[in-house]
Every structure is written in C-alpha cells, then in structure tokens.
Amino acid sequence: MKIAFVGKGGSGKTTVASLFARYVAASGAPLLAVDADINQHLAAALGCPEDEALMLPSLGDHLGLIKEYLRGTNPRISSAAAMVKTTPPGRGSRLLRVAETNPLYDGLVREIGGVRLAVTGPFATEDLGVACYHSKVGAVELLLNHLVDLPGEYIVVDMTAGADSFASGLFTRFDVTFLVCEPTLRSVGVYRQYIGYAREFGVRVQVVGNKVDDSSDVDFLREHVGDDLLTWLGRSAYIKAAERGQPRSVRELEPANVAALRMLWQAADAAVKDWPAYTRQAAEFHLRNAQAWANDKAGEDLGAQIDPDFILGPHAIAATR
Ligand SMILES: Nc1ncnc2c1ncn2[C@@H]1O[C@H](COP(=O)(O)OP(=O)(O)O)[C@@H](O)[C@H]1O
Ligand SMILES: [Mg+2]
C-alpha cells in the first residue's frame, strides 16, 4: 500500500509518519519510508543523529542513477536524459518491489530505527533559481510509478507541507492519504484546501487528528472534517520526550496512541487497489507534463513514452522475472 502523510507544517506529519512506520515495520512487514518534505526531518524522527542525517545518500542527488535503472530496456525511452518525473513504466522497464535487493536500494536506502528509509535530500542553496524542489521530489514520483506493492507491503511517504503537493502529480500516487490535522482553524483550512484539489483527481483523504487534548478538540475536528475523521492521537508525553532526545521503543507509546496507529494500519489495508486506473492516471499526468514543458525541454515528443499495452501490477512483475 502506498501511503502519504500530508497536512499543515507543524501538524505532526513527520512524527505520526515515523511512529506509524516504526510500528508497522516492527511487525516484520516489508516497509519503505520516504522523506519527500522540503524540510527533511523524518530521519531524525526515526532516531538518526542530526550529523548522520546530513550524510544520508539522497534520491535528489542520484536522479541519473534512478532513471538509468528504471528505464531498463524500455525501447520507448531513448535515454535517461529523456526521462522526466512523470515518465511511466512500460514493457522493458524495471519495476520495484517494496523489499528486494537492487542497486537503487543498495545505494539509496538506509535502515534507521528499524525502518528502511530513503530521503529526497535537502533543498540546497545552490538549487535556488536553478532547479526547483519538485525535480528532487520527482524521484519519488518515479519510484512510486514503478513500484509494485503487494497486500501487506507498505511505502510510507512524508510529504511536503500543505498544498505545495499539488505542483506535481505526486499527490495522486497513493492508495491512502492521511491528512494530519490539529484542532485549529489553520489546520482544518489546509484540509479544506487539500480536499478541494484531491476530489477532482479521485484522491480520498482521511484525517488523523493530532495533539488532541480533550473531547472538545475531537468535536471541533468532527465539526470541520465530518466523516473524513478517521482517528486521532492525543498530545503525547512520549513524543515530547523523544523530541528531547530520549527515543524509546514504540511499544512504550501511550496505548490510546498505539490504538490510533492500528486504525491507520487497518485503513491502509482496507484501501482498494485499482492498478489499471493507477496506470491510466500516470499516463494522463505524463501527457499533461509533456505538453506543459517537458517536450520542449527534451526536444522530443515524450507522449510516445507511454506504452498503451502496459498495466502496472503484480502480473507485470511476474512478466519481467
Ligand atoms: N501528538 C503529539 N504530542 C506532542 N507533541 C507533538 C505531537 N505530534 C507532534 N508533536 C510535536 O509537534 C512538532 C511538529 O511536529 P512535526 O511532526 O515535525 O510536524 P510536521 O512534520 O507536520 O511539520 C514537533 O515538535 C513534534 O514533536
Ligand atoms: Mg515534517
């Protein structure tokens, strides 16, 4: 299952994503976490010391490697250079499993606090005005579009704050979107803005309340997000202690908050996969991108990269192995 954590900056996306990833990974389920936020905090939230987090290999710095690998022998993609973030897989492309040995994971995935993690990398000052952060996050879109996750396998992505997500098709690449929301007007404002875009693309948002103190907070959330409220986490002494450098086993998290994580897990497992629709939407976004800017940049018609006879999914993996 492909799972996104979105919401207003400061709402607790990274915190909840890291707890969820640790909780699920501790069960032994195959899981890959990805930090796709411009403010890279997921490694730290998983317990990686700050200085080591800065040394992690980043997806954004290895776009060439990623494209070369995923392209495989797909004859519709003339070169890695002609591959853009929305270039979809086709026959000959290399597909990814959540847990497997491949050169991309060897180079770019590290285990932190029991969780396999890849990071897009920080937005460097030398990027300013030259590249936009979206090209780095584009690596995540490429990975998701080539990734075949089976039931009981999880990819957890900590996304950029608020509505920045809509600058690309990335927000449509998930089976489940958890919007972390504090019981505040600004936080529910981000929810409202998000569902405005999301509905148009068939993206279903489930709200995870966070930093809830009492029942009036729950009432507030329910009043503003209605049935989209899936569950909530309370304000947590465990999280506060972790923030002060005392990370503990996720088993020591408050029972009510563990129950909330379990709800998220159940909601993820309950998501229905529609691989043909997923494939079709990838192609639509690719065409849109190609026409908007990518054809000009590449100097060729990138629409021709779409393989009309290819559908992503478990059968596609079987066909290539
Ligand atoms: N349930 C909670 N209880 C107490 N503090 C929390 C809780 N959730 C998040 N926080 C704190 O709120 C701050 C912002 O959380 P963070 O996960 O970094 O937000 P985001 O990723 O959405 O910007 C952090 O200091 C974090 O420790
Ligand atoms: Mg964050």
Side-chain angles (χ1 to χ4, degrees):
M1 290 297 169
K2 299 182 169 99
I3 305 167
F5 283 86
V6 304
K8 191 178 90 57
S11 58
K13 290 180 296 296
T14 303
T15 303
V16 179
S18 70
L19 289 172
F20 178 76
R22 285 171 67 197
Y23 183 64
V24 173
S27 77
L31 181 142
L32 177 64
V34 180
D35 191 347
D37 191 354
I38 189 163
N39 299 305
Q40 298 261 294
H41 294 314
L42 188 56
L46 290 168
C48 184
E50 255 350 288
D51 49 335
E52 281 173 41
L54 292 172
M55 306 293 287
L56 289 174
S58 76
L59 301 174
D61 285 342
H62 296 88
L63 272 169
L65 172 76
I66 294 168
K67 290 176 179 177
E68 200 54 65
Y69 181 75
L70 295 178
R71 177 168 85 94
T73 58
N74 184 335
R76 293 171 180 273
I77 305 170
S78 59
S79 68
M83 205 163 168
V84 295
K85 63 186 176 186
T86 51
T87 296
R91 280 165 294 175
S93 293
R94 287 204 180 92
L95 305 177
L96 302 169
R97 297 282 313 272
V98 174
E100 64 175 357
T101 302
N102 68 43
L104 291 190
Y105 293 171
D106 285 349
L108 302 170
V109 173
R110 295 290 177 268
E111 187 165 323
I112 298 178
V115 173
R116 294 164 58 241
L117 173 72
V119 304
T120 49
F123 187 77
T125 32
E126 64 262 27
D127 295 337
L128 280 173
V130 187
C132 65
Y133 194 66
H134 305 133
S135 69
K136 294 197 168 184
V137 170
V140 182
E141 197 163 344
L142 276 171
L143 294 184
L144 291 171
N145 276 336
H146 288 75
L147 195 109
V148 176
D149 47 308
L150 305 182
E153 299 181 341
Y154 307 90
I155 174 150
V156 173
V157 183
D158 183 12
M159 297 271 280
T160 196
D164 291 353
S165 322
F166 301 109
S168 80
L170 183 57
F171 74 99
T172 69
R173 307 292 77 209
F174 298 95
D175 302 302
V176 197
T177 301
F178 292 135
L179 188 140
V180 180
C181 192
E182 292 169 83
T184 65
L185 281 175
R186 284 186 57 203
S187 214
V188 297
V190 167
Y191 157 79
R192 211 162 288 126
Q193 192 182 16
Y194 205 98
I195 56 167
Y197 286 101
R199 281 213 181 110
E200 197 180 323
F201 294 94
V203 173
R204 176 156 176 246
V205 172
Q206 300 182 77
V207 173
V208 181
N210 192 27
K211 306 187 197 177
V212 164
D213 286 314
D214 52 33
S215 63
S216 74
D217 286 342
V218 177
D219 291 345
F220 178 90
L221 285 169
R222 194 159 275 134
E223 179 192 334
H224 287 274
V225 314
D227 290 342
D228 283 348
L229 182 63
L230 173 69
T231 185
W232 57 89
L233 283 84
R235 198 177 290 280
S236 161
Y238 171 98
I239 292 172
K240 201 166 161 189
E243 189 83 351
R244 291 181 179 161
Q246 302 154 6
R248 288 176 294 176
S249 159
V250 73
R251 284 196 302 268
E252 291 175 51
L253 181 66
E254 296 88 352
N257 289 335
V258 172
L261 296 180
R262 213 173 300 126
M263 284 283 282
L264 301 189
W265 194 348
Q266 279 165 9
D269 283 344
V272 178
K273 272 199 177 286
D274 183 343
W275 290 105
Y278 191 83
T279 306
R280 210 160 43 236
Q281 206 172 28
E284 279 163 19
F285 264 98
H286 180 57
L287 275 181
R288 198 188 281 220
N289 251 273
Q291 282 155 10
W293 59 271
N295 283 347
D296 283 346
K297 184 170 172 247
E300 60 178 282
D301 173 19
L302 298 183
Q305 291 177 333
I306 297 169
D307 180 347
D309 297 323
F310 177 84
I311 297 173
L312 188 68
H315 61 280
I317 286 268
T320 57
R321 315 219 160 164

